[in-house]
Amino acid sequence: MRITVDRKQLATALTRAVPLVADMPEGARIAILRADGEDRVSVEARGRMVSAMDTIPARVDRGGEAGVNAANTLKLLRAMVAYAFVTIEIEEDRTNRVRISAGDTEAVLDATAHEEWAAPIDAAEGGVGEDLAWTGACAEVSGVLARVLPVCAGEDNRYGVSAVLIEFGDGRARFVATDGHGLLYTSIAVDAISAGSILLLRACASAVAAYLQGRPEGARVGFSQGKRAVTVTAPNCRVVARIAESVFPDYRQVIPPTPARGSGVRLDRAKILSAITRCKQFARDTHSTTRVEVDNGTMKLTVRRLDEVLREEIAVEGPDVPLLGLNAALGEKLIGASRVSEMEMHFTGSLSPVLWVPDDSGSLVVIMPIRLE
């Protein structure tokens, strides 16, 4: 195999591949370079839960395939920053090494033997083609996944799942994530061929988001669902991810009926996010309680640290809200995931979920309050 490729494009493909193979044994953290056409090369990565492939333009002098350490190859490409193109050649007849060269710079890597390559996730499990469930804009799907991922639980627990629930049907797809203390859902317009749901593990959803970034403007992505995996296809890329076997909590049970728009406390999202962030930084404890109340058009936030007290005040519009306790770190994470200018806060009881409704019809932030002593 001998190919010449754009250094930045190959580095971008490997940047996506490195975290995907991080859960593999050290010798199997590879990227497979495959040149089977005259003007392109594929970069494939195989993890335990996800297989993915990028396709980039290339000049192919001699076809073939090679497995290389993804992280080490990426480091070499970044070191060759002065060059726009690199040539990659595998010496199959002699040392089975991969030679990467650009200008006067040259590096040699050991190629990984075929028998050491991880087996790909069977694409048939994803229902390629026949079971296409829905399609959407690459930029929108990637952006929504990036916003909800931080809300996922670090690991499965009684109330939260380390996964993203995607519900689709009636022309929309809803993305839901929760860590058991707060919940975020947001929806986008899609072309839904059928109705259903997909539960993607956090690592799988992160891989999908990464591979959809940077696609051509207006590019579409399709989701095909099988019994054990989902296949995500977009221009020049494909991701096959196993479906999580966990059961996502029935989040609708904890969401009280959303009051009419305009009946809550209306506030500027950037201002409340800035105030909550300062409260979190002042407390220096992710489990500390921030006291929040609304009185006569002013939202007051108070947090204590030993003998010191920080108070923040924000001008708002709407009804008064009695004193309640919120976790500032959780509020920063959830409110920060929204991408709107204004929000409405709806208070339904001292121990009931607090609803933060972004100024759009497809999103909702739910935060469980903390009991105050």
Side-chain angles (χ1 to χ4, degrees):
M1 182 181 78
R2 190 175 192 276
I3 59 174
T4 301
V5 297
D6 182 285
R7 184 191 63 83
K8 287 185 178 180
Q9 290 187 353
L10 181 56
T12 299
L14 289 173
T15 299
R16 298 186 181 115
V18 168
L20 192 151
V21 300
D23 63 351
M24 299 297 290
E26 187 171 353
R29 297 172 188 171
I30 63 171
I32 301 170
L33 308 180
R34 182 177 290 110
D36 52 9
E38 296 181 355
D39 58 357
R40 65 185 184 275
V41 61
S42 63
V43 182
E44 184 177 355
R46 301 172 180 176
R48 295 186 187 277
M49 303 300 294
V50 189
S51 292
M53 182 179 66
D54 252 326
T55 303
I56 59 177
R59 189 186 73 197
V60 181
D61 298 322
R62 186 172 67 252
E65 58 185 16
V68 297
N69 183 283
N72 290 344
T73 306
L74 179 59
K75 290 178 182 179
L76 289 174
L77 292 176
R78 287 173 173 170
M80 297 178 176
V81 66
Y83 303 98
F85 296 90
V86 296
T87 298
I88 300 176
E89 183 176 9
I90 183 169
E91 303 173 345
E92 297 175 348
D93 298 333
R94 294 183 291 172
T95 60
N96 199 38
R97 291 185 175 181
V98 176
R99 188 180 304 275
I100 303 177
S101 59
D104 298 330
T105 304
E106 184 176 275
V108 177
L109 293 171
D110 289 331
T112 305
H114 284 66
E115 55 269 20
E116 296 182 29
W117 294 2
I121 295 175
D122 186 2
E125 293 181 353
V128 179
E130 295 181 359
D131 299 325
L132 184 66
W134 61 277
T135 64
C138 285
E140 285 190 327
V141 175
S142 176
V144 169
L145 284 173
R147 293 202 299 273
V148 302
L149 276 167
V151 185
C152 293
E155 58 183 20
D156 289 359
N157 56 59
R158 183 179 178 184
Y159 302 107
V161 174
S162 185
V164 175
L165 176 66
I166 306 175
E167 299 175 318
F168 50 90
D170 296 327
R172 298 196 71 82
R174 174 182 288 180
F175 299 73
V176 190
T178 179
D179 62 358
H181 303 285
L183 178 144
L184 168 68
Y185 75 62
T186 185
S187 64
I188 58 173
V190 300
D191 294 326
I193 291 85
S194 60
S197 63
I198 300 169
L199 187 59
L200 285 181
L201 289 171
R202 184 175 184 171
C204 297
S206 179
V208 171
Y211 274 83
L212 294 183
Q213 286 180 351
R215 299 301 160 186
E217 184 177 355
R220 305 286 290 179
V221 55
F223 281 71
S224 304
Q225 185 175 5
K227 292 182 179 180
R228 294 178 296 276
V230 59
T231 298
V232 183
T233 54
N236 300 322
C237 85
R238 185 189 68 182
V239 180
V240 181
R242 295 196 185 278
I243 296 174
E245 297 179 356
S246 307
V247 177
F248 199 84
D250 186 358
Y251 66 92
R252 292 179 178 85
Q253 289 187 348
V254 302
I255 301 177
T258 305
R261 185 173 293 276
S263 61
V265 178
R266 195 165 188 84
L267 65 162
D268 184 279
R269 187 192 71 92
K271 291 181 179 178
I272 182 62
L273 180 60
S274 178
I276 287 179
T277 299
R278 287 193 292 270
C279 289
K280 186 199 75 170
Q281 293 172 343
F282 177 83
R284 299 179 185 174
D285 181 0
T286 57
H287 301 290
S288 65
T289 300
T290 298
R291 294 170 176 260
V292 180
E293 64 179 325
V294 177
D295 180 33
N296 196 26
T298 301
M299 176 175 284
K300 303 174 183 178
L301 297 90
T302 306
V303 62
R304 297 180 180 276
R305 184 185 66 194
L306 298 178
D307 295 330
E308 298 177 302
V309 178
L310 173 68
R311 292 187 176 90
E312 296 278 345
E313 293 188 354
I314 305 170
V316 299
E317 297 178 0
D320 291 350
V321 174
L323 184 66
L324 65 128
L326 293 178
N327 180 280
L330 180 63
E332 179 189 43
K333 180 170 64 175
L334 287 163
I335 296 174
S338 181
R339 293 292 185 273
V340 296
S341 58
E342 292 187 337
M343 306 183 77
E344 274 191 21
M345 172 186 172
H346 294 274
F347 174 78
T348 57
S350 60
L351 294 179
S352 298
V354 180
L355 306 182
W356 302 75
V357 184
D359 196 15
D360 63 68
S361 60
S363 300
L364 180 69
V365 173
V366 182
I367 303 178
M368 296 301 297
I370 300 174
R371 183 188 297 273
L372 295 175
E373 300 297 337

